[in-house]
């Protein structure tokens, strides 16, 4: 009996489509529902990316291990300077997640200016003219 290949294939249920629809450079940090870190990716304004994590089942069994679901995910959109642009909770596998749909400030403060000391001397070098 011959069956089409699509019957054996399944969608990648461990992907999240990320879209930075803000005017800032943001880092999307993906976490599982138990709080474990799954990964991160930095996106430029207007950039989109498919974030995929491997959640294939294994044959490993350990007695006494709690059954914890890794889904739904949480995506924290972090600013390049400091702080968070937004946080999106309850993200299903295969979902489209944009930075502006989460709760948060939806703003990134500019990077603070460095507090370098002024130069020890204010003398300027001048070009020497050879004769």
């Amino acid at each position: 009996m011959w069956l089409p290949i699509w019957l054996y294939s399944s969608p990648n249920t461990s992907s999240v489509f990320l879209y930075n629809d803000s005017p800032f450079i943001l880092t999307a940090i993906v976490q599982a529902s138990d709080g474990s870190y799954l990964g991160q990716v930095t996106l430029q304004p207007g950039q989109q990316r498919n974030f995929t994590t491997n959640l294939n089942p294994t044959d490993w069994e350990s007695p006494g291990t709690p059954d914890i679901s890794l889904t739904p995910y949480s995506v924290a959109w972090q600013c390049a300077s400091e702080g968070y642009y937004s946080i999106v909770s309850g993200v299903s596998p295969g979902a489209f997640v944009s930075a502006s749909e989460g709760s948060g400030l939806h703003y990134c403060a500019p990077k603070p200016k460095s507090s370098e000391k002024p130069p020890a001397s204010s003398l300027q070098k001048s070009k020497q003219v050879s004769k």
Side-chain angles (χ1 to χ4, degrees):
M1 179 170 157
W2 183 82
L3 291 175
I5 190 80
W6 57 269
L7 287 178
Y8 292 105
S9 64
S10 64
N12 188 350
T13 58
S14 58
S15 292
V16 176
F17 188 75
L18 303 170
Y19 175 56
N20 182 1
D21 58 348
S22 79
F24 306 103
I25 298 171
L26 298 176
T27 299
I29 302 167
V30 182
Q31 291 183 320
S33 65
D34 65 353
S36 60
Y37 172 84
L38 296 177
Q40 69 184 36
V41 62
T42 300
L43 299 164
Q44 298 291 323
Q47 187 179 9
Q48 51 196 359
R49 183 110 182 245
N50 191 21
F51 176 85
T52 305
T53 184
N54 186 359
L55 298 177
N56 293 331
T58 62
D59 293 332
W60 176 262
E61 291 184 27
S62 177
T65 303
D67 294 329
I68 297 175
S69 174
L70 295 178
T71 59
Y73 304 122
S74 292
V75 179
W77 293 91
Q78 186 175 24
C79 297
S81 55
E82 58 185 37
Y84 289 92
Y85 184 82
S86 70
I87 298 176
V88 182
S89 302
V91 177
S92 301
F96 175 85
V97 182
S98 65
S100 64
E101 73 181 80
S103 59
L105 295 176
H106 293 211
Y107 178 76
C108 290
K111 288 186 180 182
K113 298 203 183 236
S114 62
S115 59
E116 293 180 13
K117 294 181 181 179
S121 172
S122 61
L123 294 176
Q124 298 283 330
K125 287 187 176 182
S126 60
K127 290 185 177 180
Q128 292 183 342
V129 179
S130 56
K131 293 184 180 183

